[in-house]
Amino acid sequence: GAELPELMNAVVRMVAECLGVEYAKVLRYLPNEYLFILEAAVGFGGVRVGTEKVDGGTDSQAGYTLLSHEPVIVEDFDAETRFRGPALLRDEGILSGISVIIQGDEAPYGVLGAHTRTLRRFTRDDINFVQAAANVLALGFKRKAAEEALSKSEEKFREIAQRSFDMIYTCYHDRGITYMSPAVTRILGFTPAELIGCKCRDYVTPVSLAAWKEGQKKIARGEPVEGLEVEFRRKDGTAAFVELNESPIMEHGRVV
């Protein structure tokens, strides 16, 4: 549930601490630039976070990791022949390191790496641990993307509802009305704010209460209500005759 910067900082700290290394980092891949950007780090200095860029090709361990689709271990950068290593690592005198891919929804998000200035032979357990940490980050990124998509969807819904000539609302069993569109003022005379938290049944007139209850039984079964003619009580005490269309809101397989 943490915000992404907080999550990334916690992960690089934990990786460095548990592996006993001086450096750990998260690099986000920028496919349009064929580069990585440093998003979180331990040991490299805070001034580089958000600005330091690393080559996305085979000149860097991160780039090689992305291209090879599997964890990459370096026991001695001085003897490494697969890639030269970026300035980010060379400037620190780093000799050994491990890097794994952080998966995204459709493409890799980037790379999680851990490095040390001493010669180190990383074990299979080390690889599994760093990959597990990368998987935690991947879940965090996926959650954030889902939240943003939901927020955009809700914003679009509200834009449509705010402009609709019809009264549009959301009502929960336990919380009452949670959203009411501005059209309610034209139809019932109330402002949206006056109805938030109220129960819909409190505004159904006695003559329509039985029909409304039958409609709610359909909602409870997960079925929509279509074209139900109901009288609602207006703010001035008069009745407004409306056609009601409702759809059940489901959460975890239950009508709420």
Side-chain angles (χ1 to χ4, degrees):
E3 291 299 315
L4 293 186
E6 180 184 350
L7 177 62
M8 288 189 287
N9 287 330
V11 167
V12 293
R13 286 197 303 268
M14 184 65 71
V15 167
E17 178 183 339
C18 291
L19 287 185
V21 298
E22 308 96 295
Y23 302 90
K25 67 184 189 309
V26 172
L27 292 171
R28 177 166 61 94
Y29 187 55
L30 308 175
N32 292 335
E33 301 181 43
Y34 205 51
L35 295 170
F36 292 91
I37 188 166
L38 186 65
E39 285 209 321
V42 167
F44 292 101
V47 293
R48 291 186 168 188
V49 173
T51 59
E52 182 79 22
K53 292 187 177 181
V54 173
D55 181 70
T58 55
D59 264 357
S60 71
Q61 183 176 354
Y64 190 86
T65 302
L66 213 59
L67 292 171
S68 60
H69 305 289
E70 61 184 9
V72 172
I73 294 177
V74 176
E75 294 183 5
D76 185 354
F77 266 106
D78 291 339
E80 181 59 55
T81 58
R82 294 170 295 178
F83 44 83
R84 194 165 65 91
L88 177 67
L89 303 184
R90 295 198 310 271
D91 292 349
E92 299 290 337
I94 288 171
L95 289 179
S96 301
I98 179 173
S99 57
V100 300
I101 294 174
I102 305 168
Q103 290 294 343
D105 275 341
E106 298 179 359
Y109 177 88
V111 168
L112 173 63
H115 310 275
T116 175
R117 290 195 298 268
T118 60
L119 293 176
R120 167 97 173 249
R121 185 184 293 270
F122 289 97
T123 67
R124 171 52 58 179
D125 286 341
D126 294 333
I127 297 173
N128 292 339
F129 171 71
V130 178
Q131 186 63 69
N135 293 344
V136 170
L137 286 175
L139 287 174
F141 299 145
K142 184 176 182 180
R143 171 185 57 81
K144 185 65 173 178
E147 289 175 353
E148 290 176 351
L150 179 60
S151 178
K152 289 180 181 178
S153 176
E154 290 176 345
E155 183 179 344
K156 187 176 294 184
F157 161 76
R158 289 185 181 273
E159 287 178 358
I160 295 172
Q162 291 290 96
R163 291 166 173 76
S164 175
F165 194 67
D166 293 329
M167 182 176 75
I168 300 175
Y169 65 92
T170 303
C171 185
Y172 288 84
H173 297 324
D174 58 344
R175 287 175 281 160
I177 296 169
T178 59
Y179 172 77
M180 180 66 73
S181 70
V184 69
T185 304
R186 177 183 59 80
I187 297 173
L188 299 182
F190 297 98
T191 65
E194 289 177 301
L195 297 179
I196 299 301
C198 299
K199 299 290 185 179
C200 295
R201 65 170 296 160
D202 295 338
Y203 297 90
V204 178
T205 64
V207 71
S208 294
L209 193 56
W212 182 82
K213 287 181 177 178
E214 287 301 314
Q216 295 311 293
K217 289 179 181 178
K218 292 187 67 176
I219 291 291
R221 294 195 298 267
E223 303 171 11
V225 171
E226 298 177 352
L228 179 64
E229 295 181 343
V230 175
E231 273 189 353
F232 276 109
R233 174 176 57 84
R234 303 184 79 253
K235 188 174 183 178
D236 63 7
T238 60
F241 202 55
V242 303
E243 181 185 282
L244 187 65
N245 297 280
E246 291 185 325
S247 297
I249 298 174
M250 310 291 293
E251 290 182 5
H252 308 295
R254 185 172 61 92
V255 178
V256 296

